Amino acid sequence: MILMPQIKSAIKRVKTANAASAKNSAQLSSLRTAVKKFKVAQAAGAENASELLKDAIRAIDKAASKGLIHKNKANRDKSRLTYLAK
């Protein structure tokens, strides 16, 4: 059971923290989905793999710019995906 605070500003912080958490988890989920779609398409030899690579890299860059993942992790992930594409 989660206890709600009594102070008005603390109540607002709980609400905004929950909203931010939901937004962040949705963004991370879409990032993972984009990466997974590319990896599956690349393994299957699909024609649209290069387009999915662009989408995955874009999702990684967006997540890094919003602070969801570290910039070094973003660069490492993009490097690994690009290597897979070759």
Side-chain angles (χ1 to χ4, degrees):
M1 183 172 141
I2 299 174
L3 298 174
M4 274 300 274
Q6 299 296 312
I7 299 168
K8 191 173 186 179
S9 61
I11 292 170
K12 184 176 180 182
R13 287 306 310 153
V14 168
K15 288 180 182 177
T16 56
N18 288 339
S21 177
K23 192 174 180 183
N24 289 342
S25 64
Q27 182 92 28
L28 278 175
S29 177
S30 66
L31 163 69
R32 291 187 193 110
T33 302
V35 170
K36 185 184 275 188
K37 280 183 182 178
F38 165 70
K39 287 183 177 180
V40 168
Q42 184 65 28
E47 297 173 2
N48 65 341
S50 62
E51 189 66 33
L52 291 173
L53 174 64
K54 288 180 188 176
D55 292 344
I57 288 178
R58 184 170 184 268
I60 291 170
D61 285 336
K62 282 179 74 172
S65 70
K66 293 174 189 280
L68 297 177
I69 60 174
H70 195 273
K71 64 177 185 167
N72 290 358
K73 176 179 169 33
N75 288 334
R76 181 176 65 242
D77 289 348
K78 289 190 296 184
S79 175
R80 288 176 177 168
L81 289 180
T82 306
Y83 181 77
L84 275 178
K86 292 181 182 178

